[in-house]
Amino acid sequence: MSFILTWVVAAIAAAAACWLVPGLVVLGGYMGIITFALAVALVNASIRPIMHFISLPITILTLGIFHFVVNAIALNIASWLSLNLFHVGVYVESFWAALWGSIVISIVSAIVGSIVGLDDD
């Protein structure tokens, strides 16, 4: 049940990011956002913690700013997965779109997650 709730929160956050960030293009309508949210949830659960651990020294040197770069790379990976596995998803046009999109997704996920009572342990 927790993964499904995480998926719904990620879908709401992804829809908000696609609406607010000009460089995020939805391909496939609502199914594109749903599959992209699934890819985001899977990347956040599996690949992103490894990326954060590997990049910990440079994150410390940049006082945490590199954390945003890792999130943008994770968003690009999720975009690639959704587009190449399901042929629908969200196309990320540039690194800056991925950076701003990851910031919007983080903020909206935190807000919606706290409203529905989702723990980010």
Side-chain angles (χ1 to χ4, degrees):
M1 183 65 175
S2 177
F3 182 76
I4 294 173
L5 191 58
T6 303
W7 188 7
V8 170
V9 169
I12 292 169
C18 292
W19 183 62
L20 291 173
V21 179
L24 301 178
V25 180
V26 178
L27 303 173
Y30 291 111
M31 280 306 290
I33 291 177
I34 290 171
T35 57
F36 177 67
L38 174 64
V40 166
L42 291 174
V43 167
N44 285 347
S46 60
I47 298 171
R48 199 176 80 160
I50 297 167
M51 290 173 32
H52 279 296
F53 179 73
I54 291 171
S55 67
L56 188 61
I58 194 165
T59 302
I60 291 171
L61 286 175
T62 61
L63 302 176
I65 299 297
F66 196 73
H67 185 76
F68 294 118
V69 174
V70 172
N71 287 343
I73 292 170
L75 193 71
N76 274 326
I77 292 171
S79 171
W80 182 86
L81 281 174
S82 67
L83 289 173
N84 288 317
L85 291 179
F86 304 109
H87 304 292
V88 293
V90 174
Y91 175 70
V92 179
E93 291 182 351
S94 67
F95 171 77
W96 295 108
L99 184 70
W100 288 111
S102 67
I103 291 170
V104 170
I105 287 174
S106 297
I107 292 170
V108 173
S109 292
I111 293 170
V112 174
S114 67
I115 290 172
V116 299
L118 185 66
D119 272 2
D120 278 341
D121 292 336

